[in-house]
Amino acid sequence: MCRFGTHALGNPMALDCRIGQGAGVSTDEGPVEHEDRWILNLRGMSVTKISVDFRLVLILDSGWEVALEAPVSLSRGTAHTGPSVLLKPESQDVAPALALFGAKVLSAVAFKSGTLRLVFDTGHHLTCSTDPSFEAWQVTGPAGWRFVSLPGGDLAAWSG
């Protein structure tokens, strides 16, 4: 288990070895760590299912899942160029997210500050910021990959 954020714990070289070998992920390579972010390598994966309870969950092909619990900004284009709508999973106020069904991921970035940003081929941008009190979102995938936005702003990352 590795945890990355303001304090790096674990052995980053061991994690790099797993990433280089693909770690059983269906894409050519697994998530890639950078100084301030993780590139999740979900490019080309489609949203195959959307579910709502107290969370908004996007199921992607290839076994990846994005679970959003905090309010989420959904815009057409970047937040600077297009109006955004605030999705509120805790009150099931997420109907605009249905536009993501069948959309393909162009970019998926988990920032070490705890923010998640997804960009889709439909032009939609989804951004989930941190929450001061609870885990705002998590992304899980094959081979034990898990990324979690920690309360107050930090990122935890695990692999198989």
Side-chain angles (χ1 to χ4, degrees):
M1 176 175 102
C2 298
R3 178 173 174 223
F4 299 93
T6 54
H7 304 288
L9 302 175
N11 182 348
M13 285 305 292
L15 184 58
D16 286 342
C17 291
R18 288 184 181 184
I19 291 170
Q21 297 167 359
V25 178
S26 62
T27 57
D28 290 340
E29 51 181 276
V32 177
E33 182 181 16
H34 295 276
E35 185 176 325
D36 65 338
R37 69 191 77 194
W38 279 84
I39 305 302
L40 300 182
N41 271 346
L42 305 179
R43 186 177 183 89
M45 293 184 192
S46 297
V47 177
T48 59
K49 182 178 179 182
I50 297 174
S51 67
V52 181
D53 46 29
F54 64 94
R55 310 170 302 158
L56 169 62
V57 181
L58 306 176
I59 307 294
L60 306 177
D61 51 17
S62 302
W64 286 87
E65 178 180 294
V66 178
L68 307 158
E69 295 183 35
V72 179
S73 172
L74 180 66
S75 63
R76 186 102 162 148
T78 64
H80 304 294
T81 62
S84 65
V85 61
L86 189 63
L87 308 177
K88 300 175 187 168
E90 71 279 0
S91 63
Q92 295 81 38
D93 185 9
V94 296
L98 293 176
L100 299 176
F101 184 77
K104 289 187 186 230
V105 177
L106 294 180
S107 171
V109 180
F111 292 92
K112 291 184 178 179
S113 63
T115 296
L116 176 68
R117 184 184 65 214
L118 301 174
V119 178
F120 298 90
D121 67 348
T122 58
H124 288 95
H125 291 230
L126 186 145
T127 304
C128 189
S129 298
T130 61
D131 186 272
S133 303
F134 64 91
E135 297 169 345
W137 58 266
Q138 68 176 322
V139 176
T140 55
W145 283 107
R146 180 178 300 266
F147 296 87
V148 179
S149 175
L150 299 175
D154 204 353
L155 181 70
W158 294 265
S159 70

